[in-house]
Amino acid sequence: MNNPLIMSTDVIVIGAGNAAMCAALAAHENGATVIVLEKSPETLKGGNTTFTHGSIRFAYKDAKDIQAIIPELNDEELRNIDFGTYTESEFFDDMCRVTNYRTDIELASLLTSESFPTMKWLTSHKIKFIPIYGRQAYKVDGRFQFWGGMVLESVGGGKGLVDKLHERAQSLGIDILYESPAISLITDDQGIKGVIYKQNGITKEIHAKAVIIASGGFHANIAMRTKYLGVNWDLAHTRGSRFNTGEGIQMALDIGALSAGNWSSAHAVGGDRYLPDFEEGFQRLSYPLGIVINENGKRFLDEGEDFRNYTYAKYGKLILEQPNQAAWQIFDQKVKPLLREEYKGKKVSKVVANTLEELAEKMEGVARDAFLHEIEEYNAAVRQKIPFNPNVKDGRCTSGLSIPKSNWANTIDEGPFEAYAITCGITFTFGGLKINTKAEVQHNLYQSIPGLYAAGEVVGGLFYSNYPGGTGLMAGSVFGRIAGKNAALFTQKNINKVNV
Ligand SMILES: Cc1cc2nc3c(=O)[nH]c(=O)nc-3n(C[C@H](O)[C@H](O)[C@H](O)COP(=O)(O)OP(=O)(O)OC[C@H]3O[C@@H](n4cnc5c(N)ncnc54)[C@H](O)[C@@H]3O)c2cc1C
């Protein structure tokens, strides 16, 4: 008689965000039957992926490559857009540069070389993209000029991407079980045999030849992030999915998986100081156009070190280190029209004043005189003869300051002035499981665990201290696709190499 508490399939995917759904689609197209286990209810589906703008980084040679992904872009439209170029080696160099040359070279190499083919593969699964006009391009002489190596986003943002991936999976007959958190892996001496999960409080099992863990990192687990990231990370605002609490990583570690990557660091950004955890609209990313000060009235980071999408993920940590984990972004009227969408709306914590003195009074907790002195020194240090151009690293810098502003330095002297109250918000964690280039999870005996694969945020080794914007989705898609394909092939060969 069938046991209603036990099912079986070829491949189980844990999680239903971007990495997981790419894995599920790839496993299915390589001939496997697939069941997806998702911890969240259907109404909150998609994990961190849902919270993204859907911005995705990939290598491309020219506008023709973009047209291969968006066939709807006609030649006339293309004449008004300058996508520039972003080669595989530029993407690879960015991965190395922003991680201080710590990124896993093999994984980063695969990520960059597979990025364009993976974009095409996503379109073959009916995922649609559009240019990111608003956030990654400014209009110059009537033409959109893109910058920062990231030019496309999914239609409908992260939610659109999740909806399309789920629709596609369901149309192919892939089962997604919601409110069904995976609890532990079933193993024997030959390797992975399935997953134990909970449904409506009842413990159940699915037996399978392969399991792909794609259940995100541990950014929403306050105890874990304080344990691994350290002091004050419990005080950070929590962004994105509340369900990424690290069980997927833990269940693999429990059977001897090797850990990898930067466990003491995370993607963390500056955003609204008073917004509750998990609320959308947290981030405040126009800081390259202004200055950032702490409650001592002092600047503490180079707002113009690089394009925003190469610095935003590391600056959250610096904000967390300031008194009361707080800071203020200051802008004047010259740059106000260039501020991003997120600076508008009712849920924005800001103060406005006609004079800097009045602004200083309104910024609660800020040392007034020190702030006014800092602004005076900063304004005097701006090299005004260098033209301002937000589309390129314009070299319009300060001179003589202990904390320079390297690009886009404008004096702050045209009222009304605006100050935005910010704190640190954690987006996702960088530490995770060690995989090889087949997305096979490695055992601490330095061999693959037969039948166990991982993709997305659960994987460690790609990002260290910092991260190039748009790489989270691409890493999930590239390694999800690789994991799905290899898991399906494994179920057909069912080769067992090592005891666990
Ligand atoms: C606000 C925000 C904006 C972002 N913007 C971008 C962007 O524009 N571009 C970009 O590239 N990246 C962006 N990122 C990062 C990006 O979201 C992630 O890197 C990426 O989506 C991670 O995908 P994933 O599939 O690994 O994890 P997720 O999408 O988080 O999916 C993990 C899934 O696993 C589920 N899960 C957890 N535990 C279990 C369990 N025990 N059993 C079953 N299921 C479980 C979760 O519920 C979740 O659905 C952003 C993140 C946030 C929070």
Side-chain angles (χ1 to χ4, degrees):
M1 209 175 82
N2 282 345
N3 183 341
L5 301 181
I6 301 178
M7 290 193 286
S8 65
T9 186
D10 292 335
V11 175
I12 300 166
V13 179
I14 303 177
N18 174 54
M21 298 316 293
C22 288
L25 292 175
H28 179 274
E29 76 188 1
N30 283 282
T33 56
V34 181
I35 295 177
V36 177
L37 286 176
E38 169 55 52
K39 183 177 170 186
S40 79
E42 186 168 3
T43 48
L44 297 176
K45 69 174 185 280
N48 261 358
T49 306
T50 300
F51 289 81
T52 71
H53 280 120
S55 318
I56 190 159
R57 182 176 291 266
F58 61 95
Y60 59 93
K61 288 192 294 298
D62 50 26
K64 288 280 165 216
D65 275 356
I66 305 296
Q67 225 173 8
I69 294 162
I70 314 178
E72 297 83 3
L73 269 183
N74 59 43
D75 288 343
E76 186 170 342
E77 277 175 281
L78 281 179
R79 270 195 285 281
N80 295 323
I81 309 173
D82 181 2
F83 285 112
T85 176
Y86 188 59
T87 62
E88 263 175 54
S89 64
E90 283 173 297
F91 189 176
F92 183 77
D93 286 351
D94 278 344
M95 284 296 295
C96 295
R97 184 173 58 83
V98 306
T99 62
N100 280 328
Y101 301 89
R102 288 181 191 271
T103 187
D104 180 312
I105 295 295
E106 286 194 329
L107 296 185
S109 183
L110 197 56
L111 168 70
T112 51
S113 65
E114 281 302 307
S115 63
F116 186 68
T118 301
M119 285 299 283
K120 292 223 300 214
W121 177 78
L122 285 168
T123 64
S124 78
H125 283 290
K126 302 189 188 305
I127 309 300
K128 290 206 171 288
F129 296 93
I130 44 169
I132 315 174
Y133 292 115
R135 285 169 284 112
Q136 289 297 127
Y138 293 108
K139 223 171 185 177
V140 180
D141 299 332
R143 280 189 97 204
F144 280 103
Q145 251 180 36
F146 280 83
W147 48 266
M150 190 173 71
V151 296
L152 299 188
E153 64 188 358
S154 46
V155 170
K159 186 173 180 317
L161 175 64
V162 167
D163 285 345
K164 287 287 168 208
L165 286 166
H166 279 237
E167 267 169 45
R168 179 69 174 164
Q170 274 156 349
S171 74
L172 296 171
I174 296 171
D175 280 332
I176 305 172
L177 309 184
Y178 295 100
E179 298 180 68
S180 302
I183 306 295
S184 59
L185 298 166
I186 305 170
T187 61
D188 67 11
D189 287 349
Q190 270 68 52
I192 294 298
K193 292 291 170 248
V195 169
I196 297 176
Y197 69 106
K198 284 261 189 195
Q199 210 173 40
N200 299 321
I202 296 170
T203 305
K204 299 184 177 181
E205 291 180 15
I206 305 179
H207 295 173
K209 295 176 193 142
V211 172
I212 301 167
I213 306 178
S215 49
F218 57 86
H219 81 277
N221 182 331
I222 291 175
M224 253 179 118
R225 76 181 190 223
T226 311
K227 178 173 172 188
Y228 294 113
L229 303 178
V231 173
N232 283 345
W233 282 95
D234 44 349
L235 300 178
H237 168 101
T238 313
R239 308 179 72 203
S241 165
R242 65 194 64 205
F243 300 103
N244 292 14
T245 44
E247 299 96 72
I249 295 175
Q250 192 57 54
M251 68 183 77
L253 295 178
D254 288 345
I255 63 155
L258 199 56
S259 57
N262 196 185
W263 279 70
S264 61
S265 187
H267 181 304
V269 306
D272 198 286
R273 184 171 175 187
Y274 300 108
L275 215 57
D277 284 349
F278 309 116
E279 282 239 1
E280 291 196 45
F282 169 79
Q283 62 190 10
R284 300 282 176 269
L285 298 186
S286 289
Y287 57 85
L289 298 167
I291 62 166
V292 185
I293 58 128
N294 62 18
E295 292 191 345
N296 298 331
K298 295 283 182 198
R299 289 177 58 247
F300 56 93
L301 50 79
D302 180 351
E303 301 86 350
E305 180 189 285
D306 204 334
F307 285 118
R308 185 270 310 160
N309 58 15
Y310 296 116
T311 58
Y312 75 123
K314 68 175 179 179
Y315 279 171
K317 179 171 187 276
L318 293 186
I319 296 163
L320 193 75
E321 288 166 1
Q322 303 311 307
N324 290 320
Q325 301 77 48
W328 292 83
Q329 295 176 352
I330 321 275
F331 306 100
D332 78 353
Q333 285 306 303
K334 290 196 291 299
V335 295
K336 194 182 169 204
L338 296 176
L339 297 187
R340 290 160 53 105
E341 269 304 296
E342 71 240 21
Y343 286 79
K344 295 177 189 142
K346 287 195 180 130
K347 289 186 177 176
V348 175
S349 306
K350 73 167 174 179
V351 293
V352 182
N354 287 324
T355 64
L356 287 167
E357 287 73 15
E358 202 189 319
L359 192 76
E361 301 291 347
K362 287 187 170 176
M363 286 189 293
E364 205 181 315
V366 171
R368 178 187 182 277
D369 294 346
F371 163 70
L372 291 172
H373 180 66
E374 186 80 351
I375 288 252
E376 203 179 311
E377 269 198 339
Y378 166 80
N379 281 344
V382 172
R383 294 182 57 190
Q384 302 203 46
K385 287 199 176 131
I386 303 169
F388 169 67
N389 181 352
N391 281 307
V392 294
K393 283 174 38 178
D394 61 4
R396 184 176 157 109
C397 57
T398 56
S399 65
L401 296 182
S402 57
I403 296 184
K405 182 168 179 187
S406 303
N407 294 284
W408 312 297
N410 282 309
T411 51
I412 298 185
D413 51 11
E414 258 183 47
F417 302 94
E418 301 199 344
Y420 293 80
I422 58 165
T423 189
C424 164
I426 183 167
T427 321
F428 70 90
T429 43
F430 290 160
L433 303 174
K434 172 85 178 162
I435 60 165
N436 65 9
T437 53
K438 290 178 168 175
E440 295 167 343
V441 175
Q442 301 300 290
H443 192 270
N444 59 31
L445 296 171
Y446 295 89
Q447 287 167 308
S448 299
I449 297 176
L452 190 60
Y453 300 81
E457 286 175 10
V458 288
V459 170
L462 277 169
F463 308 121
Y464 287 80
S465 309
N466 196 9
Y467 153 102
T471 317
L473 289 177
M474 184 42 75
S477 295
V478 165
F479 291 102
R481 183 184 180 203
I482 291 172
K485 179 178 176 190
N486 286 313
L489 296 181
F490 177 85
T491 65
Q492 287 143 29
K493 288 190 260 166
N494 209 357
I495 304 163
N496 294 316
K497 293 187 210 147
V498 76
N499 292 345
V500 288

